[in-house]
C-alpha cells in the first residue's frame, strides 16, 4: 500500500486523518501498530482491510489493487483473504459460539464444516462451550470465539484492532498467546493495533503512528 491518504469530510470540516502513509507486509509477517488515541490506527486498518475507501493512494491485497475492484469483488476478496478481530468482539448475539465461528464460511456458501469449527474452538480452550451464546460467555471467552472465527477460513492476513483492549491483563495474556500461535500455525500475516508495549514487542515489526503519519518503525527478531 502506498501514499495512502484519508480525509473525512463533514458539512463544515475537512479532517485529514492519514497523510501519505506507505506500508507493506510480507506473507506470514507480523506487525504491531502503536500510537496515541486518534492517531489514525483504526482508520489505517480499515483501509488496508478494504472495509473503507482511501481518499487517495492505493491498497493492494495479495497483489490486487482494491480501488480497481467494485464492492462485490472487494467483499469476495476480503472474505477469501482477510480475517478480523475487533476490540469489541463483534459476535452475533443470536448465534451460538460454533455458529459464530461458521459465519465466514456461510458467507461464501460453504457448509458442513462443523468439525473444523469445533476443533478450532477446542484449540482456543472452548471445546465445552460450543452451544453457548455470547451473553453466556465472559469477555475473554467471547474474544476466543472471535479468534476461532477469524481463522476458520484460513485467511492470508489477519487484522486485529486492540484485541485485548476490553480485557483485563490476566485474560489478555492467554488470548495474545493464542493469537500468535494460530497465526504461526496457519502462516497468516498479522497486523495488530495495540496500546500494550508487551504485546507490540511480540511482533517482528513495530510501526508507530502519530497525527496520521508513521513516525517511527523498528524491526526485531520477534518470538
Ligand atoms: N467516520 C469519521 N468521521 C470523521 N472523523 C473520523 C471518523 N472516524 C475517525 N475519525 C477521526 O479520525 C481520527 C483518527 O481516528 P482513528 O483511526 O479511530 O484513531 P485511533 O484508532 O488511532 O485511535 C480521529 O481524530 C477521529 O476522530
Ligand atoms: Mg482505534
Amino acid at each position: 500500500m502506498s501514499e495512502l491518504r484519508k480525509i473525512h469530510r463533514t458539512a463544515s470540516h475537512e479532517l485529514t486523518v492519514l497523510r501519505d502513509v506507505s506500508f507493506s507486509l510480507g506473507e506470514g509477517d507480523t506487525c504491531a501498530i502503536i500510537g496515541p488515541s486518534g492517531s489514525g490506527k483504526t482508520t489505517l486498518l480499515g483501509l488496508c482491510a478494504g472495509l473503507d475507501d482511501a481518499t487517495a493512494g492505493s491498497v493492494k491485497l495479495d497483489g490486487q489493487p482494491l480501488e480497481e475492484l467494485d464492492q462485490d469483488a472487494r467483499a469476495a476478496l476480503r472474505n477469501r483473504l482477510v480475517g478480523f478481530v475487533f476490540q469489541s468482539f463483534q459476535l452475533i448475539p443470536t448465534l451460538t459460539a460454533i455458529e459464530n465461528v461458521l459465519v465466514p464460511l456461510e458467507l461464501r456458501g460453504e457448509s458442513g464444516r462443523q468439525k473444523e469449527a469445533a476443533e478450532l474452538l477446542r484449540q482456543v480452550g472452548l471445546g465445552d462451550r460450543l452451544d453457548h451464546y455470547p451473553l453466556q460467555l465472559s469477555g475473554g471467552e467471547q474474544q476466543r470465539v472471535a479468534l476461532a472465527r477469524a481463522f476458520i477460513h484460513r485467511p492470508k492476513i489477519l487484522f486485529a484492532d486492540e484485541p485485548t483492549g476490553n480485557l483485563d491483563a490476566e485474560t489478555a495474556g492467554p488470548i495474545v498467546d493464542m493469537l500468535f500461535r494460530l497465526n504461526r500455525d496457519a502462516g497468516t500475516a498479522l497486523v495488530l493495533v495495540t496500546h500494550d508495549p508487551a504485546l507490540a514487542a511480540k511482533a517482528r515489526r513495530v510501526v508507530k503512528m502519530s497525527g496520521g503519519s508513521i513516525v517511527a518503525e523498528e524491526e526485531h527478531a520477534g518470538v
Side-chain angles (χ1 to χ4, degrees), residues 95-118:
L95 299 181
T96 62
I98 191 162
E99 288 167 351
N100 266 287
V101 173
L102 287 165
V103 164
L105 298 179
E106 304 268 322
L107 288 174
R108 319 171 166 190
E110 289 178 33
S111 56
R113 307 264 297 268
Q114 273 77 5
K115 262 194 186 152
E116 275 165 73

Side-chain angles (χ1 to χ4, degrees), residues 62 72 83 116 120 130 132 158 165 205 217:
D62 208 27
D72 288 350
E116 275 165 73
L120 263 173
L130 305 187
H132 285 226
L158 180 84
R205 276 167 66 190
E217 199 169 341

Side-chain angles (χ1 to χ4, degrees), residues 1-214:
M1 125 196 175
S2 58
E3 303 289 289
L4 211 52
R5 196 173 314 150
K6 178 70 183 178
I7 302 178
H8 282 300
R9 293 198 172 87
T10 58
S12 55
H13 283 86
E14 250 192 23
L15 180 68
T16 302
V17 174
L18 288 182
R19 288 163 223 275
D20 300 330
V21 171
S22 293
F23 168 81
S24 68
L25 192 70
E27 263 182 57
D29 205 356
T30 56
C31 178
I33 300 178
I34 59 173
S37 192
S39 58
K41 305 181 298 296
T42 294
T43 304
L44 178 60
L45 227 56
L47 295 181
C48 290
L51 288 175
D52 193 8
D53 284 317
T55 308
S58 171
V59 179
K60 282 187 189 169
L61 273 183
D62 208 27
Q64 295 239 40
L66 294 183
E67 59 280 359
E68 290 174 11
L69 303 176
D70 64 23
Q71 287 295 342
D72 288 350
R74 209 192 293 183
L77 186 74
R78 212 165 52 220
N79 187 244
R80 190 159 57 80
L81 298 176
V82 175
F84 297 98
V85 179
F86 302 92
Q87 178 171 359
S88 54
F89 322 138
Q90 307 245 5
L91 299 177
I92 299 174
T94 53
L95 299 181
T96 62
I98 191 162
E99 288 167 351
N100 266 287
V101 173
L102 287 165
V103 164
L105 298 179
E106 304 268 322
L107 288 174
R108 319 171 166 190
E110 289 178 33
S111 56
R113 307 264 297 268
Q114 273 77 5
K115 262 194 186 152
E116 275 165 73
E119 173 53 29
L120 263 173
L121 283 169
R122 259 191 295 280
Q123 282 181 33
V124 297
L126 293 176
D128 56 351
R129 298 281 202 282
L130 305 187
D131 298 319
H132 285 226
Y133 289 90
L135 278 175
Q136 300 171 317
L137 298 168
S138 70
E141 288 167 345
Q142 289 185 50
Q143 194 61 307
R144 287 192 262 156
V145 174
L147 278 184
R149 177 182 60 184
F151 280 96
I152 187 76
H153 62 305
R154 305 221 147 236
K156 279 203 148 182
I157 185 161
L158 180 84
F159 295 96
D161 194 354
E162 308 201 31
T164 57
N166 280 344
L167 304 174
D168 56 56
E170 276 148 67
T171 317
I175 301 265
V176 168
D177 292 342
M178 280 171 211
L179 177 60
F180 277 89
R181 194 180 63 235
L182 286 167
N183 230 80
R184 207 164 39 229
D185 293 352
T188 304
L190 173 67
V191 183
L192 171 76
V193 170
T194 181
H195 275 116
D196 179 353
L199 177 45
K202 286 176 173 274
R204 195 187 65 81
R205 276 167 66 190
V206 180
V207 165
K208 183 160 193 255
M209 290 192 69
S210 179
S213 301
I214 291 178

